[in-house]
Amino acid sequence: MSGGKRMRKGAAAKPATTRRAARKPASKPAEPAMDLAVGRRIRDLRRSKEMSLEVVAARTDLSIGFISQIERGLSSPSLRVLATLADVLGVGIAALFGATPKDDGAGGVVTREVQRAELKLWRTGISKQLLSPAGSESRLNLFLVHLEPGGNTGDEFYTHDGEEAGLVLQGEMTLTVDTETWTLKEGDSFRFASRRPHRFSNPTRDAKAVVLWVNCVTAAG
């Protein structure tokens, strides 16, 4: 009888081990970690400029609480919000990527594919890979923008310092500047002053869009 009891205990323990193994692969998504890194970068830039949350809030029309949540990685900001914050901080959006990995002697001139910093706006279906060396002093920056199906900057227009241009490499993009809207396909390009209200999106539901995008800001540091 005692041997039978040991067998029953062993049989009962086995499913519990299986259940633990099934739960083990589950892990926290990477996106919150991205939000935390971007938030810390914004906080560090704000402090380096000796600007209070109140000042930034007043200049961006964003609430103090919302900016604080972004800095703590508790909120995932849109591209519009990030561009607005970068503008007030006197930097290009590339400065929010933080530092790239150590270069291989390229002297800040060449960026290898494996060194690309990425800003993933996971809630809006947009990600930006920085093709040029990261840094808050850079005025001219080159990006590879990926728009997931339906990815967009939101219904609200936004503006920021500088000028931008781009070339659609893959898929389709809808671009609105002021009151005009264009559908751009592979091979189409654009340029406009970033102070003009704008927004963009991928109108398709089954294909990604990839855009080579250039941003040039007039304010630095």
Side-chain angles (χ1 to χ4, degrees):
M1 291 295 291
S2 61
K5 287 180 181 179
R6 283 196 296 270
M7 288 178 66
R8 283 197 296 272
K9 286 179 181 179
K14 189 174 181 180
T17 303
T18 303
R19 286 196 296 271
R20 285 196 296 270
R23 289 195 298 267
K24 189 175 181 180
S27 59
K28 295 179 69 175
E31 288 83 356
M34 177 71 72
D35 292 340
L36 186 61
V38 172
R40 285 174 176 170
R41 183 62 177 157
I42 292 172
R43 181 196 60 197
D44 291 345
L45 283 168
R46 176 178 63 79
R47 289 177 176 176
S48 71
K49 304 286 183 180
E50 298 183 343
M51 299 174 69
S52 66
L53 283 170
E54 290 79 6
V55 169
V56 174
R59 294 182 183 179
T60 59
D61 289 330
L62 300 172
S63 71
I64 294 174
F66 181 46
I67 297 172
S68 177
Q69 284 188 325
I70 291 173
E71 290 191 349
R72 289 179 289 154
L74 302 178
S75 181
S76 180
S78 65
L79 183 58
R80 178 184 67 84
V81 169
L82 288 179
T84 300
L85 288 169
D87 202 26
V88 168
L89 293 171
V91 298
I93 197 168
L96 305 185
F97 283 69
T100 53
K102 296 284 185 180
D103 64 47
D104 55 0
V109 175
V110 174
T111 300
R112 306 293 181 184
E113 183 176 0
V114 295
Q115 294 176 316
R116 293 177 187 172
E118 184 175 28
L119 186 62
K120 190 174 182 182
L121 306 171
W122 57 284
R123 290 190 184 278
T124 59
I126 298 175
S127 65
K128 302 183 73 169
Q129 290 183 337
L130 182 60
L131 306 183
S132 49
S136 60
E137 302 300 320
S138 179
R139 299 190 183 202
L140 178 66
N141 290 287
L142 183 64
F143 302 93
L144 198 60
V145 178
H146 294 259
L147 295 167
E148 296 298 328
N152 64 86
T153 56
D155 294 332
E156 293 185 68
F157 289 87
Y158 69 102
T159 64
H160 52 94
D161 178 64
E163 187 174 9
E164 51 201 286
L167 169 68
V168 179
L169 300 177
Q170 176 185 321
E172 186 175 315
M173 182 182 79
T174 298
L175 173 67
T176 300
V177 181
D178 293 324
T179 59
E180 293 189 75
T181 299
W182 299 268
T183 297
L184 305 176
K185 298 186 178 182
E186 184 176 326
D188 294 337
S189 54
F190 59 88
R191 186 191 74 173
F192 60 92
S194 303
R195 286 298 181 193
R196 298 175 67 182
H198 57 280
R199 64 187 180 194
F200 60 90
S201 66
N202 177 356
T204 67
R205 296 293 173 181
D206 57 0
K208 177 189 286 189
V210 181
V211 184
L212 184 66
W213 207 298
V214 180
N215 280 108
C216 182
V217 297
T218 58

